[in-house]
Amino acid sequence: MPILKVARMGHPVLRRVADPVPSNHVGSDEIQRLIGDMIDTCREYSGAGLAAPQVHVSKRVVVMEVYDNPRYPDAPELALTVVVNPEVEHIDPTRQMVWEGCLSVPDLRGQVPRSSAVRLTGLGRDGEPIDVTLDGFPAAVVQHECDHLDGRLYVDRMESMESLTFLGEFDRFVRPRIVEEVNED
Ligand code: NI
């Protein structure tokens, strides 16, 4: 399957509210091809997730997967999750501060406040109902990807630009601190 071109910050498709996919259209060749290409594209660029607007398709489709990811080596795993027309319910609005990046905002990381736990509902890859509860980093990934469907980027959610950091500097100065903090628990 082809690797799709990823829209970067500034492209208007990233600021549009994406259209829902009619439930009887999830199994169509068009949507199935889109989902397959999005998974391949997400893996190719080591994304934790990808939303259809990021590949220039303004539809409410997201894919997420965190497994042995070189861009997020310390992150807990999240099995491949495909959701069409996702809805997010903030079941634990207690804030966690999460270091996020985005394939549409290349080579940067910033700290974003996110709800600690969410319930994610919607339709799966074959149109089956999805209903899962996620916390920690996977919950943040869900919130990040679903934000894309409403034209929102993680930088919009940052409370301060002070944490905005290039990836090289993140690896050098921030990641050792995070590992230390985790190890102290
Ligand atoms: Ni993103």
Side-chain angles (χ1 to χ4, degrees):
M1 299 218 197
I3 304 302
L4 303 174
K5 188 177 178 197
V6 176
R8 302 203 309 173
M9 181 166 61
H11 195 297
V13 72
L14 294 172
R15 294 305 189 179
R16 237 171 259 155
V17 176
D19 296 325
V21 177
S23 54
N24 63 359
H25 197 55
V26 177
S28 68
D29 288 350
E30 181 202 357
I31 298 299
Q32 289 299 309
R33 194 177 315 118
L34 173 66
I35 290 170
D37 290 350
M38 284 174 63
I39 293 168
D40 288 351
T41 303
C42 191
R43 287 176 174 163
E44 172 72 14
Y45 296 119
S46 302
L50 192 68
Q54 291 185 273
V55 292
H56 307 85
V57 178
S58 198
K59 293 187 192 297
R60 303 186 82 79
V61 179
V62 299
V63 305
M64 295 167 283
E65 184 179 46
V66 182
Y67 174 70
D68 202 13
N69 188 324
R71 285 178 73 240
Y72 296 95
D74 312 313
E77 290 180 7
L78 169 64
L80 176 64
T81 305
V82 175
V83 193
V84 178
N85 303 336
E87 299 278 350
V88 174
E89 186 187 336
H90 298 259
I91 54 175
D92 181 358
T94 310
R95 293 184 343 156
Q96 52 170 339
M97 291 302 283
V98 180
W99 283 99
E100 297 189 16
C102 181
L103 296 177
S104 295
V105 188
D107 300 323
L108 288 168
R109 287 283 185 282
Q111 271 192 308
V112 187
R114 297 289 188 185
S115 296
S116 295
V118 295
R119 178 181 175 199
L120 172 67
T121 54
L123 301 174
R125 191 173 185 170
D126 299 310
E128 76 282 13
I130 296 262
D131 189 342
V132 289
T133 298
L134 297 160
D135 59 10
F137 185 74
V141 173
V142 166
Q143 291 166 78
H144 175 122
E145 297 313 327
C146 292
D147 267 356
H148 275 300
L149 304 181
D150 293 325
R152 205 167 285 136
L153 300 174
Y154 82 83
V155 287
D156 308 342
R157 297 278 194 194
M158 290 174 67
E159 289 177 340
S160 160
M161 286 294 141
E162 269 181 54
S163 68
L164 199 62
T165 303
F166 285 107
L167 196 49
E169 281 67 19
F170 179 83
D171 285 339
R172 196 170 155 204
F173 300 112
V174 181
R175 186 161 280 149
R177 213 172 66 217
I178 296 177
V179 171
E180 221 166 78
E181 282 167 10
V182 170
N183 287 342
E184 280 167 7
D185 285 345

